[in-house]
Amino acid sequence: MVKHSRRRTRRRLMAEINVVPYIDVMLVLLVIFMVTAPLITSGVKVSLPQVKTGAITGPATESVVITVDQFGDYYIDIGAEKNQPASDQILHERLRVVLEYQPDTPILVRGDNSVDYGRVVRAMAIAQKAGAPEVGLITVPPERREP
């Protein structure tokens, strides 16, 4: 009886890396970052109107207007010192008191055309921190040119 020796053939090791699982993981991470990135950014909440044109109708309660002049000083149209610049702390305290008694009072910010945008956003942030549910911006409509 002749024994047939079985040869054990060794498979050669594959030197290539299978990158398909890595691509799958990368795509999942990309989707996760795309979804979570807008949620992480912080900002001032502004309720924008849903109409294309038209003026804002008068609210049932009188609104409070914060004015930011060309030098970046704040003025608030409530209190005894309406024509005096208000610091961040004074602005916050006055708004907090008003919103404590009338929580639905609309807060509007009127910023000078040449003032730094950061000062206007800071006024909006102070109003939101004081408890304002919505903060609006006052603008002037552009002049119409007749053909």
Side-chain angles (χ1 to χ4, degrees):
M1 210 187 214
V2 178
K3 289 186 177 178
H4 293 288
S5 66
R6 290 189 179 194
R7 289 187 186 173
R8 288 194 165 186
T9 57
R10 289 186 147 187
R11 289 188 179 180
R12 294 181 70 191
L13 293 176
M14 192 164 82
E16 297 176 16
I17 297 174
N18 188 3
V19 293
V20 174
Y22 298 114
I23 293 173
D24 291 343
V25 169
M26 181 195 63
L27 290 175
V28 168
L29 289 174
L30 179 67
V31 169
I32 290 171
F33 287 128
M34 287 174 58
V35 169
T36 58
L39 301 175
I40 294 173
T41 59
S42 63
V44 177
K45 182 181 179 220
V46 178
S47 180
L48 299 175
Q50 297 295 316
V51 294
K52 291 185 180 180
T53 59
I56 299 175
T57 59
T61 60
E62 192 170 323
S63 61
V64 175
V65 178
I66 303 168
T67 302
V68 184
D69 70 355
Q70 63 184 357
F71 306 109
D73 295 328
Y74 298 131
Y75 297 87
I76 186 166
D77 69 343
I78 55 173
E81 302 171 349
K82 292 181 183 181
N83 296 326
Q84 297 295 322
S87 67
D88 293 0
Q89 184 65 30
I90 292 171
L91 183 65
H92 181 270
E93 288 301 320
R94 288 186 187 171
L95 289 173
R96 188 185 55 76
V97 169
V98 168
L99 292 169
E100 188 174 295
Y101 291 106
Q102 294 178 337
D104 295 327
T105 303
I107 308 296
L108 302 174
V109 178
R110 179 175 51 201
D112 189 271
N113 191 29
S114 62
V115 74
D116 181 34
Y117 180 71
R119 292 296 289 172
V120 175
V121 171
R122 177 119 177 109
M124 295 171 73
I126 291 170
Q128 192 176 27
K129 189 185 250 185
E134 295 180 356
V135 180
L137 293 172
I138 297 175
T139 61
V140 177
E143 293 181 28
R144 289 185 137 195
R145 294 185 182 179
E146 295 295 312

